[in-house]
Amino acid sequence: MPRRSRSKSLVRSRKRKAGDLASQRLDDGDEVPLASETSGADKTRLGRASSSNPNALWPDCDAWRPKSMFDVYYRLTAVVPREEWPAFSDSLRRPLPITFRFTRDAADDFRAEGERVLSRWAAEGLGTRRLGLVEGWQLHMDKHQLREAVPGSDAASVREWLIRGTESGLLVRQEVASMLPAATLGVLPHHRVLDMCAAPGSKTTQLVERLDGGGGVVVANDFSALRCFTLVKRTASLGPRAASLVVTNHAAQKMPRPPAARGGGGGGGGASGFDRIVCDVPCTGDGTTRKHPEVFHRWEVALALRQHPLQLQIAMRGCALLEVGGLLCYSTCSLNPIENEAVVAALLHKCGGAVEVESGADAVAAELAGGCAPGMSTWPLLDFRLARHRDLASLRASADVPVREKRLYRASMWPPTAPSLAAQLRRCVRLLPHRSDSGGFFVALLRKVRELPAPPPRAPPR
């Protein structure tokens, strides 16, 4: 197929964003059918199915654009039970509620000023609730509703109180899902902690506050120098506590090992590793639609396929830097199992039993977010036409999948066949917007039980 000129591509992009493509002209009330619900006549109407693959019930991406592609993909992937889909889909399109946590510098009188109203709202059952695990609150309203509060009302007074607290560093506006990784790790004051992809810095400040001047250190890393500048600016509110913070600028998958702790043995032993690691990897961000609704317009199947190899490399490097007995929290703000459970399964396989999924993250998530779901142990792999493929060999053998598309797939993207790996994946945690009133989020708490196996020897150069 000849490549479109740049001018035509730009015009098509603008039309897609405005929803003016012919393929986007669906009524908002139209229900997009599941593959199993589609009759033969409907298949003809929706587009030409692949003659060699009976599961290819949906037309090419170019002909079926963003109003439906996101929804169809995740319905076919079964990220939520079928009966929960309407509530899940509706929650993805509602703004996030306001959430925040207090810093260690927040005085009792400042807290009491705002909590008088917040406690009354919670008692009235409006939906405001205390986040005791992180010393914070989740309100029953979003930022747009708070902005429109009538002057002199309780909501207006809370808005002014939040502004004063944010400007003075007494509270941090942070989404509930973003608070979860640090909350699950159980950081102690003496720990050496690594935040592998730290910017913009909300999780980093949370980690530093947990050290509380106990002699530990937080190493906050980011690949982008500009994002590192943002990180330093964000953590300036820590004041004297920032003495426990080191900001570095490295590619996370090549993060160097720190020097051995004082009194440690050096020599590459465990003493030069980290006790706790936050591995919040770059991702497609398709769980952030409540905060960034433009995700619906730019979403496509290929996004997760491109992220998967990098995510696995970063997670592997994190496990290499972790001390035996230490904990690593792998997390994304994505709904896609290719970026979540598939990465964890591949990581467990590559580590050869040296790393295990720890239980307990679900209890922390339930207390903090109010509800969660277990990880997925199986999922379908779909190509750009949303046709299923049972494994990499069947995809590569398909005549309907272009060669450049085949290059994006890896064997590690398919669900594991070993029952032991599938059981561990159920210990992972998914935050779903309709259950926890948060963004979509994934967390896997991993413990290193022994040193990683040595890599296989490289073949000598020819």
Side-chain angles (χ1 to χ4, degrees):
M1 177 182 292
R3 181 173 294 181
R4 293 190 186 95
S5 68
R6 179 171 174 80
S7 60
K8 287 184 179 180
S9 296
L10 288 173
V11 170
R12 185 176 178 81
S13 177
R14 293 192 186 103
K15 284 185 176 181
R16 181 182 301 127
K17 189 172 182 181
D20 291 337
L21 290 177
S23 58
Q24 294 175 302
R25 290 168 191 162
L26 295 173
D27 294 333
D28 290 338
D30 284 353
E31 177 71 13
V32 178
L34 286 171
S36 58
E37 300 171 338
T38 309
S39 66
D42 290 333
K43 295 173 190 176
T44 304
R45 177 176 61 84
L46 290 173
R48 179 181 59 83
S50 166
S51 58
S52 62
N53 189 339
N55 292 321
L57 304 181
W58 300 97
D60 189 275
C61 287
D62 288 340
W64 193 256
R65 270 300 182 181
K67 271 193 178 179
S68 58
M69 177 61 84
F70 180 96
D71 294 275
V72 173
Y73 180 88
Y74 279 117
R75 290 191 73 172
L76 293 176
T77 309
V79 293
V80 297
R82 187 168 176 166
E83 62 274 9
E84 295 183 25
W85 178 263
F88 171 72
S89 180
D90 180 63
S91 65
L92 286 173
R93 292 158 171 85
R94 291 199 308 267
L96 280 169
I98 293 173
T99 52
F100 66 90
R101 59 178 177 82
F102 293 109
T103 66
R104 295 295 178 91
D105 297 322
D108 292 340
D109 55 347
F110 172 78
R111 292 192 185 199
E113 179 184 348
E115 288 184 337
R116 278 194 294 268
V117 177
L118 301 181
S119 298
R120 186 166 68 250
W121 284 349
E124 292 172 358
L126 298 177
T128 294
R129 64 187 185 93
R130 186 188 296 271
L131 306 176
L133 200 61
V134 293
E135 298 187 31
W137 285 83
Q138 177 173 298
L139 276 57
H140 65 280
M141 58 182 69
D142 58 61
K143 63 181 181 181
H144 307 290
Q145 294 171 321
L146 200 64
R147 277 196 203 115
E148 297 169 359
V150 178
S153 64
D154 285 344
S157 65
V158 168
R159 181 187 61 203
E160 298 302 323
W161 177 73
L162 286 173
I163 292 173
R164 283 191 287 112
T166 303
E167 291 176 347
S168 56
L170 301 180
L171 58 84
V172 176
R173 294 277 298 276
Q174 187 177 358
E175 186 187 347
V176 165
S178 176
M179 301 178 191
L180 185 56
T184 59
L185 283 174
V187 175
L188 298 177
H190 65 277
H191 278 162
R192 292 161 59 118
V193 185
L194 171 63
D195 193 350
M196 300 188 75
C197 308
S202 298
K203 299 180 188 69
T204 302
T205 58
Q206 191 179 357
L207 293 168
V208 173
E209 288 174 5
R210 285 178 175 260
L211 296 182
D212 201 24
V217 63
V218 172
V219 177
N221 176 70
D222 203 273
F223 174 69
S224 165
L226 181 60
R227 287 170 64 85
C228 283
F229 175 78
T230 303
L231 177 61
V232 171
K233 188 176 179 180
R234 182 72 173 268
T235 55
S237 61
L238 291 169
R241 293 190 184 88
S244 302
L245 174 66
V246 177
V247 177
T248 61
N249 179 209
H250 288 285
Q253 68 272 30
K254 300 177 181 178
M255 186 75 186
R257 183 175 291 275
R262 185 172 297 176
S272 62
F274 292 94
D275 303 293
R276 299 289 187 269
I277 295 179
V278 174
C279 187
D280 189 49
V281 295
C283 65
T284 58
D286 59 17
T288 66
T289 56
R290 302 184 69 178
K291 186 166 54 175
H292 302 293
E294 67 274 10
V295 168
F296 287 115
H297 292 280
R298 63 174 173 81
W299 189 92
E300 59 182 355
V301 176
L303 295 178
L305 304 179
R306 295 189 183 106
Q307 293 287 358
H308 175 91
L310 175 63
Q311 293 165 339
L312 181 55
Q313 290 173 15
I314 294 175
M316 278 296 298
R317 186 55 187 162
C319 289
L321 296 173
L322 189 65
E323 283 209 43
V324 174
L327 293 173
L328 179 147
C329 181
Y330 175 84
S331 62
T332 74
C333 50
S334 169
L335 300 167
N336 202 320
I338 293 175
E339 301 180 78
N340 299 331
E341 288 88 352
V343 173
V344 174
L347 182 69
L348 297 175
H349 175 72
K350 286 179 174 290
C351 290
V355 174
E356 298 175 351
V357 180
E358 188 85 350
S359 59
D362 55 342
V364 176
E367 181 179 352
L368 179 60
C372 62
M376 301 171 65
S377 57
T378 184
W379 55 90
L381 249 291
L382 310 175
D383 62 22
F384 289 11
R385 290 172 175 79
L386 302 190
R388 296 172 185 245
H389 297 272
R390 65 180 181 273
D391 52 31
L392 183 60
S394 69
L395 182 137
R396 287 179 173 171
S398 174
D400 298 313
V401 181
V403 173
R404 62 181 179 182
E405 181 182 336
K406 292 177 181 178
R407 291 176 183 147
L408 295 175
Y409 289 85
R410 303 285 186 274
S412 57
M413 296 175 180
W414 272 261
T417 55
S420 58
L421 290 182
Q424 290 198 63
L425 293 182
R426 300 293 292 176
R427 300 178 197 163
C428 302
V429 171
R430 283 176 164 265
L431 292 189
L432 301 173
H434 67 298
R435 293 192 183 185
S436 60
D437 200 13
S438 67
F441 205 74
F442 174 85
V443 165
L445 186 62
L446 303 162
R447 184 179 293 277
K448 188 173 182 178
V449 295
R450 62 173 183 267
E451 291 293 344
L452 300 184
R458 292 185 177 182
R462 295 180 179 178

